[in-house]
Amino acid sequence: MSTLFSPIELRDLKLSNRIMVSPMCQYSAIDGSANDWHFTHINMLALSGAAMFCIEATHVEDIGRITPGCLGLYNDANEAALKPILASVRKHSKAAVAMQLAHAGRKASSQRPWEGGQLIPIAEGGWQTVGPSDVPHKAGEAAPVALDDAGLKRIREAFVASAKRADRLGIDALELHGAHGYLLHQFLSPIANKRTDRYGGSLENRMRFPLEVFDAVRAVFPDHKPIGMRVSATDWVEGAWDLAQTIELARELKKRGVDWMDVSSGGVSPLQKIPLGPGYQVPAALAIKEATGVTTMAVGLITEAKQAEEIVSSGKADMVALARGMLYDPRWGWHAAAELGGEVSAPPQYWRSQPSTQKALFGKTTFGTR
């Protein structure tokens, strides 16, 4: 029996396996609204065999978008654009659909990665960014505006408004983006947070705003639906945000009912030194799981079925989340199930694709002709 293809429950959400399609920015929205690209992309990966698909970083206000092409859920047009996409997913896929709510903070107003990914000056169509402090992400860049109390209140309320929209759309779960150098991570990391008020300095103070956002979202998202958080377990910079502090954050989130921690790393500083390798972030997921008992997802260069199976069967993490591996192989879940002796759901139009040696891959199926 494959552990990877065993069920897991997150509140009332029952998942048939331990695989999530990780949220992946597509940089292809128009004014924050999804379009035909997202229709194709989301519907394709909702049929990957993963039990849950997470919609890309979906920004809670327009100036919180990473790039002009990033997805948002901050107005009626954004919400309406997602409705037909989700209706199609529900018609053809049994996968749960999560959404990652995000704010880019000082890393907003960037070019799309294939256009260089650098800060877009206001004179060239960019916009004024905000952050915990007026410290730029890179030396020589224009500084963000440090958020005052009114700005913090606006962003908390924006997360709440987007969470309500997500629920109206029928989203099954939310993930708050507290990683990769975006706003919530910026508050956590002393690299970006130089505040001297109640939101800066000590670990308790640096955690305050991300925890306030979590509390505010949890208060309005239905209690039976789970909420997780993606975190960067370390900045990979000496003396900055690290695993020990991440564990303390996990403990505070556990008190508030967090349903999972999606454990990534880095992103807040160009000085980071990341030792890339297969499963390089898995030890952080394990450390958080062991220290807190919080359900964890491992992410980062997980590409092989047996690798994913070993991560969950050995207890290093409760689930795995794949991004690049899914883009390269949009049926990764099918192929992993075939290799590990698991079972996945597939639409009847595809039942004929089962290999002759894997007649139970899609469960009980029938196919006849005359």
Side-chain angles (χ1 to χ4, degrees), residues 287-351:
I288 292 167
K289 178 178 166 65
E290 287 184 336
T292 68
V294 170
T295 296
T296 57
M297 293 183 186
V299 61
L301 296 184
I302 300 169
T303 58
E304 305 299 325
K306 289 179 180 176
Q307 175 194 16
E309 174 71 20
E310 190 277 331
I311 289 168
V312 294
S313 65
S314 65
K316 293 174 182 173
D318 299 286
M319 297 181 66
V320 294
L322 281 82
R324 291 174 178 85
M326 287 287 183
L327 290 182
Y328 190 71
D329 178 6
R331 299 287 182 267
W332 191 93
W334 295 16
H335 302 147
E339 183 176 341
L340 299 172
E343 180 182 306
V344 292
S345 174
Q349 295 93 327
Y350 288 171
W351 284 353

Side-chain angles (χ1 to χ4, degrees), residues 15-63:
L15 303 177
S16 60
N17 62 52
R18 309 299 185 96
I19 308 166
M20 183 175 83
V21 179
S22 212
M24 292 175 274
C25 290
Q26 297 298 291
Y27 312 104
S28 300
I30 305 297
D31 296 326
S33 292
N35 51 49
D36 57 348
W37 176 264
H38 299 87
F39 188 97
T40 300
H41 170 73
I42 292 172
N43 275 276
M44 174 180 68
L45 289 181
L47 298 177
S48 69
M52 185 156 68
F53 171 89
C54 190
I55 295 174
E56 66 189 88
T58 305
H59 297 86
V60 300
E61 64 174 1
D62 57 353
I63 67 165

Side-chain angles (χ1 to χ4, degrees), residues 50-274:
M52 185 156 68
F53 171 89
C54 190
I55 295 174
E56 66 189 88
T58 305
H59 297 86
V60 300
E61 64 174 1
D62 57 353
I63 67 165
R65 292 173 296 157
I66 306 165
T67 76
C70 281
L71 199 63
L73 190 55
Y74 47 78
N75 61 32
D76 291 346
N78 299 160
E79 186 176 340
L82 283 167
K83 283 183 179 179
I85 298 173
L86 290 168
S88 180
V89 169
R90 299 305 189 188
K91 185 176 181 180
H92 301 294
S93 170
K94 293 181 180 179
V97 180
M99 174 181 281
Q100 186 184 69
L101 294 183
H103 193 296
R106 70 179 189 174
K107 288 182 78 174
S109 189
S110 299
Q111 295 172 327
R112 295 169 180 85
W114 52 82
E115 295 168 345
Q118 300 307 300
L119 179 69
I120 305 172
I122 294 174
E124 296 176 19
W127 56 87
Q128 177 61 60
T129 63
V130 297
S133 305
D134 58 352
V135 179
H137 178 69
K138 291 174 65 176
E141 287 184 345
V145 170
L147 287 159
D148 58 13
D149 286 346
L152 295 174
K153 181 175 185 288
R154 184 192 77 241
I155 291 173
R156 280 195 302 269
E157 291 177 349
F159 271 94
V160 165
S162 293
K164 290 179 177 178
R165 290 183 185 276
D167 182 47
R168 284 202 297 268
L169 286 166
I171 295 297
D172 298 304
L174 292 177
E175 179 175 275
L176 301 185
H177 202 342
H180 301 164
Y182 300 123
L183 185 65
L184 299 185
H185 182 193
Q186 289 163 27
F187 271 89
L188 295 170
S189 174
I191 289 176
N193 186 345
K194 305 296 184 182
R195 298 175 76 102
T196 57
D197 64 359
R198 61 198 296 265
Y199 291 102
S202 69
L203 174 59
E204 179 183 5
N205 283 356
R206 284 182 281 116
M207 292 192 298
R208 190 182 308 278
F209 186 66
L211 292 174
E212 286 179 352
V213 169
F214 181 88
D215 288 342
V217 170
R218 182 67 278 177
V220 300
F221 200 58
D223 189 62
H224 67 278
K225 294 185 177 184
I227 301 178
M229 180 176 277
R230 173 165 279 199
V231 293
S232 278
T234 174
D235 289 340
W236 298 112
V237 177
E238 187 71 28
W241 182 254
D242 58 20
L243 180 57
Q245 294 174 86
T246 304
I247 288 170
E248 291 305 311
L249 175 65
R251 289 191 172 115
E252 290 301 318
L253 287 165
K254 184 179 181 181
K255 294 176 187 176
R256 292 161 166 80
V258 75
D259 295 292
W260 75 82
M261 301 286 282
D262 184 355
V263 185
S264 190
S265 67
V268 81
S269 171
L271 302 178
Q272 63 190 16
K273 303 292 185 184
I274 303 178

